[in-house]
Amino acid sequence: MADTVEGVIAGKRPRSVRVVLLALMIAMMLAMLDNMIVGTAMPTIVGDLGGLEHLSWVVTGYTLATAASTPVWGKVGDMYGRKGAFLGSIVIFLIGSALSGMAQDMGQLIGFRAVQGLGAGGLMVGVMAIIGDLVPPRERGKYQGMMAGVMALAMIGGPLVGGTITDNWGWRWAFYINLPLGAVALALVTVVLQLPKKRSKAGIDYLGVVLLTVGITAIVLVTTWGGTEYAWTSARIMELTGIGVAALIGFMFWQTKAAEPVLPLHIFKSRNFTLMAVIGFITGFVMFGATLFLPLYQQAVQGASATNSGLLLLPMLGAMLVTSMIAGRITTNSGRYKMFPIAGGVLMIVGLYLLSTMDTGTSRFTSGVFMAVVGAGMGCLMQITMLVAQNSVQMKDMGVASSSATLFRTLGSSFGVAIMGALFNHRVQDVMAERAGSLGSKITAKSAQLDADSLNKLPVAAREAYQHAVSSGTHSAFLLGAVIAVPVLIAALFVKEVPLKGGPKAAGEGADAAPQPMAEAI
C-alpha cells in the first residue's frame, strides 16, 4: 500500500503516530485506573449512599460486564471496523462514568457500573488491536512496552489519585474524572486515526454471545463468591459451576456451526496462540494474587501504612515496567522473542518461591528484592504474550486474538484471587486458632483480612499471632503460585519462534501464521 505504518515509523508522519499513541494510552489509563480509584473511594461511597451489604457488587458488576463484553468487542471490531468499535466502547464507558457519578443509591451505582464495565471491555481490546492493525509485529513490542508502563503507573498511582480526589472533591469525581480524559481520547481518535472500513455480510452471532456471556458470568461468580459468600460445596456454587460448564460446552459446539463465530476455534490450531493463552491465564492468576496479598503482608507483618498502598508494590511494578520496555526494544531490534517467555517463567517461579519464604522477620528491603524478581518475570511476559498471540493469526482475526488474550488473563486473575485467597484465609484461620485459641478463631471468624484499625485494637499477643498467621498464609499462597507458574516455563519451551512481520525472516524458521497485510496509514 502507498502509506504503510512502516513509513510512518520511519519518520513519514511521526506526529500522527504520537497523537494516536497518546489517545490509546489515555484509553488504557481509563480502563486500568478506574477500579483502583473507585476502590479507594468505596468507604466514602458507602457512607453517603448506604447499602453496605451490596458493596461487593460495585466491583463485581463492573468485572462481570468487562469480562463478558471483551470477546464481543474484539469480534465486532474484526467484522465492522476497529475504529467504530473503539469509539463506541469509549462512549459507553463515559456514559457509565457520568451515570455512576450521579447515582443516588447503591442499586443505581451497581447498574451504572455495569454499563461502565461494558465499555471498559472494549477499551483494552481496542488499544491492543489498533496497535496490531497499525504497527508491524517487529515494531509492536516497543509500543506495547509503553502500554505496560501505563498499566504499572495506573496500579501505583490509582490509590493515590483516588484518595486525593475523594478527600478534596468528593467521591463522585472518582467517576467524573474520566469524562475530560475520555473526551480527549475520543476527539483524538476521531480526527487522527484512519483505518480501513469494514462491513461484514454475516450478522452477529447472538447465540454465541449469549452462551459465552452466561459461561463467563457463571465462572466469575463462582470464583468471586466461592469461599466467601457461599461455601465451595454449597448448592449455589454447584449450580453456577454446572451452568458455566454447560454454557461453555454449548458455546464451543455452536462455534463450529456459526457463520461468523464470536471466537473462531481455528485460531487455537496455532500452537503459539494456544501456548500464549495458557501463559496469559497463569500470568493473570499470579499477578493479581500477588497484588492482593503483598500489601496485606506489608501492612500486617511489616507495619507499613495503608495510606499509600499503591507504593507498596513499587518494587514489583517498577521491575515489570523496566523489563517490559527492555523486552520490547530487544524484540523490535532483533525480531526474536522466545527468550522472554522462558526467562519470564524462570523469574516468576524463583520470585514466587522467594516470596513464600518471607516470615515475620523479613525486612522490607528483602521483600522488595523478592518482589522485583517477580515483577521482572511478569515484565517478560505481559506484552510478549499479546505480541505473539497477534503474530499467530491472520489480520482478519486480530481483534479476536487480542480479546481472547485479554479474556484469558482476566479469567486467570479471577481464579488466582479466588484460589490463592481461599488458601490464604484457611491457613490464617488455622494458625490463629493454634496460637490464640478461641480468641483467634473469633477474630478471624468474619474475615482473615483485618484492616489497620482492627489490627491496632487487638491485644499484643493476638496481634503477634495474627502476624504469624498472615506470614503463614502468604507462604502457602505464594508457594502455590510458584507451582502454578511452572507450566509457564514448560509452555514457553514449546513456543515456535516465528519471524515477526515487518523484519527480515530468519533463515530456517517456519511460519505459524498466514501473512498479514499492513493497515493503511494513519
Side-chain angles (χ1 to χ4, degrees):
M1 295 183 181
D3 289 323
T4 67
V5 175
E6 283 184 290
V8 178
I9 293 171
K12 194 172 182 180
R13 297 183 195 172
R15 182 172 298 177
S16 296
V17 173
R18 288 197 295 268
V19 172
V20 170
L21 283 175
L22 175 62
L24 295 181
M25 285 191 285
I26 291 174
M28 175 78 80
M29 183 72 77
L30 289 174
M32 291 299 300
L33 267 179
D34 190 76
N35 257 341
M36 298 186 179
I37 290 179
V38 173
T40 308
M42 208 61 83
T44 307
I45 293 174
V46 172
D48 188 14
L49 298 183
L52 178 62
E53 66 276 14
H54 304 302
L55 176 64
S56 62
W57 275 102
V58 176
V59 175
T60 301
Y62 179 90
T63 303
L64 282 174
T66 301
S69 65
T70 292
V72 178
W73 282 115
K75 187 61 181 180
V76 169
D78 284 341
M79 293 176 64
Y80 301 109
R82 204 86 62 214
K83 180 177 179 178
F86 188 54
L87 290 174
S89 68
I90 295 176
V91 170
I92 292 173
F93 182 84
L94 295 182
I95 291 173
S97 298
L99 292 174
S100 296
M102 294 185 287
Q104 298 301 308
D105 58 50
M106 191 61 76
Q108 289 183 10
L109 180 60
I110 292 169
F112 296 151
R113 283 283 285 165
V115 173
Q116 198 181 14
L118 289 175
L123 292 181
M124 190 80 73
V125 173
V127 169
M128 293 302 178
I130 288 172
I131 290 177
D133 269 352
L134 294 177
V135 183
R138 182 67 177 265
E139 300 284 343
R140 207 174 291 159
K142 178 171 59 180
Y143 295 99
Q144 290 184 341
M146 294 168 60
M147 296 302 165
V150 173
M151 292 172 64
L153 181 63
M155 295 179 76
I156 296 170
L160 296 174
V161 173
T164 302
I165 289 175
T166 304
D167 291 342
N168 294 284
W169 298 348
W171 67 265
R172 296 184 186 277
W173 276 97
F175 299 103
Y176 291 151
I177 194 66
N178 293 328
L179 301 181
L181 292 174
V184 171
L186 199 63
L188 293 178
V189 171
T190 301
V191 173
V192 179
L193 180 63
Q194 301 296 327
L195 291 173
K197 294 183 179 180
K198 302 177 184 178
R199 182 67 187 179
S200 174
K201 295 181 180 179
I204 295 175
D205 176 18
Y206 291 106
L207 179 57
V209 170
V210 171
L211 289 171
L212 183 60
T213 300
V214 171
I216 291 174
T217 300
I219 288 174
V220 173
L221 286 178
V222 166
T223 57
T224 302
W225 285 348
T228 53
E229 298 288 330
Y230 304 95
W232 286 104
T233 56
S234 66
R236 178 60 56 86
I237 296 299
M238 292 296 103
E239 289 170 0
L240 285 172
T241 301
I243 291 171
V245 170
L248 292 179
I249 290 175
F251 170 76
M252 287 187 288
F253 173 76
W254 175 248
Q255 293 307 278
T256 64
K257 308 293 184 183
E260 192 65 54
V262 177
L263 183 60
L265 301 183
H266 68 79
I267 62 177
F268 291 96
K269 293 180 180 178
S270 165
R271 182 174 75 188
N272 275 5
F273 182 86
T274 302
L275 292 173
M276 290 306 109
V278 172
I279 291 175
F281 179 90
I282 297 173
T283 302
F285 186 108
V286 170
M287 179 179 178
F288 285 89
T291 55
L292 175 65
F293 296 113
L294 281 170
L296 178 62
Y297 169 84
Q298 290 186 311
Q299 292 170 37
V301 179
Q302 296 180 328
S305 168
T307 305
N308 298 327
S309 56
L311 297 178
L312 300 176
L313 298 174
L314 188 57
M316 184 178 76
L317 298 175
M320 185 180 79
L321 169 59
V322 172
T323 310
S324 182
M325 297 288 284
I326 293 173
R329 284 288 178 180
I330 292 176
T331 300
T332 295
N333 293 334
S334 68
R336 296 191 172 275
Y337 52 81
K338 183 174 180 176
M339 69 185 92
F340 295 113
I342 294 174
V346 171
L347 288 169
M348 201 153 63
I349 294 168
V350 172
L352 288 166
Y353 174 76
L354 291 173
L355 287 176
S356 75
T357 65
M358 295 189 305
D359 54 28
T360 54
T362 304
S363 68
R364 291 191 190 182
F365 175 80
T366 301
S367 61
V369 171
F370 295 168
M371 291 163 63
V373 175
V374 175
M378 291 178 181
C380 289
L381 294 168
M382 288 291 291
Q383 303 306 318
I384 293 297
T385 53
M386 180 66 74
L387 171 63
V388 178
Q390 291 179 338
N391 194 54
S392 302
V393 301
Q394 296 181 5
M395 183 66 80
K396 67 182 181 67
D397 292 322
M398 184 67 67
V400 167
S402 303
S403 64
S404 298
T406 303
L407 176 62
F408 279 108
R409 189 179 299 169
T410 301
L411 293 178
S413 68
S414 295
F415 277 90
V417 169
I419 295 174
M420 293 175 76
L423 184 62
F424 172 86
N425 292 340
H426 180 73
R427 188 61 186 151
V428 168
Q429 289 167 348
D430 283 351
V431 173
M432 284 295 285
E434 292 171 5
R435 287 181 171 266
S438 59
L439 176 60
S441 299
K442 183 178 180 181
I443 290 171
T444 57
K446 292 185 177 180
S447 175
Q449 301 179 30
L450 303 182
D451 57 31
D453 290 338
S454 300
L455 188 59
N456 290 331
K457 293 176 183 177
L458 294 179
V460 175
R463 189 184 310 133
E464 291 178 352
Y466 183 70
Q467 290 173 338
H468 281 283
V470 169
S471 177
S472 181
T474 53
H475 164 77
S476 298
F478 288 127
L479 193 59
L480 171 66
V483 173
I484 294 293
V486 171
V488 170
L489 178 58
I490 296 173
L493 293 172
F494 286 95
V495 170
K496 184 179 181 182
E497 193 162 51
V498 179
L500 297 174
K501 284 79 179 177
K505 184 174 178 177
E509 291 180 335
D512 198 38
Q516 301 176 25
M518 290 297 302
E520 292 184 2
I522 301 174

